[in-house]
């Protein structure tokens, strides 16, 4: 089987923000997207549960003949990525909140993530970092995209922050850097920026794309046939494809 695709896998639509970054940085590659929307959200699950779900999904994805897998999910990346590597014959990349990068630049950093991811970083007790786990936001973004079927329903979730009590958090301008530590949060970036008024807002997608690019350059395995640039697979393929198309056509929706 020809291993031509780079697979991108998330609990649902969040990884579409990673896919967009990968497409930008690796224009000669073909991608395969798998969203496990039926099991989303992942962010409140146990590590055992996450591992079981992800191993099944990785096996499924490998059946398509992929040359690498990008786990476009911070929650899986910070908990089970090392274990997943045992189950795969191809390189597996993760998406991580770039907290250490923010710490190196100094100042106050706010990490917004799923409860699982936030707990991992809270335990590290990094200097100047406040980690907040949002237990409902990713699920709500997922639910609205699915039930309303259009991205503006997600984009204009001006109530999305109040869902988590964030709008009551009077911290405008307090944090120098805000990190979107869940790939779903890229779709409400504007609301987060408007609320916290932080100079810098980061996510892990750029750093992941850089690592994948390095692999592709080293293996010289780029493909140039751009027909079917992104193949969507799995039970929710149609939904993810239509969300992706809307994201791509709404320029500036994510950046
Ligand atoms: N988008 C994923 C992440 O980056 C998971 C969100 C969820 O399913 O809870 O963590």
């Amino acid at each position: 089987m020809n291993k031509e695709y780079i697979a991108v896998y998330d609990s649902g639509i969040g990884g579409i923000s990673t896919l967009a970054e990968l497409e930008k940085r690796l224009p000669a590659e073909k991608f395969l997207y798998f969203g496990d929307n039926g099991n989303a959200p992942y962010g409140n699950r146990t590590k055992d549960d996450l591992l079981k779900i992800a191993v099944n999904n990785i096996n499924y994805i490998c059946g398509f003949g992929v040359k690498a897998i990008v786990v476009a999910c911070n929650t899986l990346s910070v908990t089970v990525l090392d274990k997943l590597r045992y189950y795969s014959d191809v390189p597996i990349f993760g998406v991580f909140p770039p907290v250490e990068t923010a710490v190196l630049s100094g100042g106050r950093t706010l990490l917004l993530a799923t409860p699982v991811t936030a707990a991992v970083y809270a335990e590290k007790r990094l200097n100047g970092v406040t980690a907040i786990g949002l237990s409902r936001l990713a699920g709500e973004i997922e639910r609205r995209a699915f039930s309303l079927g259009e991205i503006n329903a997600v984009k204009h979730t001006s109530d999305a922050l109040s869902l988590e009590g964030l709008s009551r958090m009077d911290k405008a301008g307090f944090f120098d850097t805000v990190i979107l530590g869940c790939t779903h949060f890229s779709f409400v970036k504007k609301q987060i920026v408007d609320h916290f008024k932080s100079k810098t807002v980061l996510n892990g997608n750029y750093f992941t794309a850089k690592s994948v690019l390095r692999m592709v350059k080293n293996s010289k395995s780029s493909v140039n046939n751009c027909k079917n640039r992104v193949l969507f697979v799995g039970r929710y393929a149609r939904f993810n494809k239509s969300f992706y198309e809307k994201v791509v056509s709404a320029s500036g929706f994510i950046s």
Side-chain angles (χ1 to χ4, degrees), residues 10-15 39-44 72-76 95 113-115 117 134-135 138-139 142 181-185:
D10 181 36
S11 64
I13 54 173
N39 283 317
Y42 281 3
N44 300 303
C73 173
N74 295 261
T75 306
L76 288 179
V95 173
T114 64
T117 305
L134 306 178
S135 59
E142 191 70 34
C182 166
T183 49
H184 281 72
F185 297 173

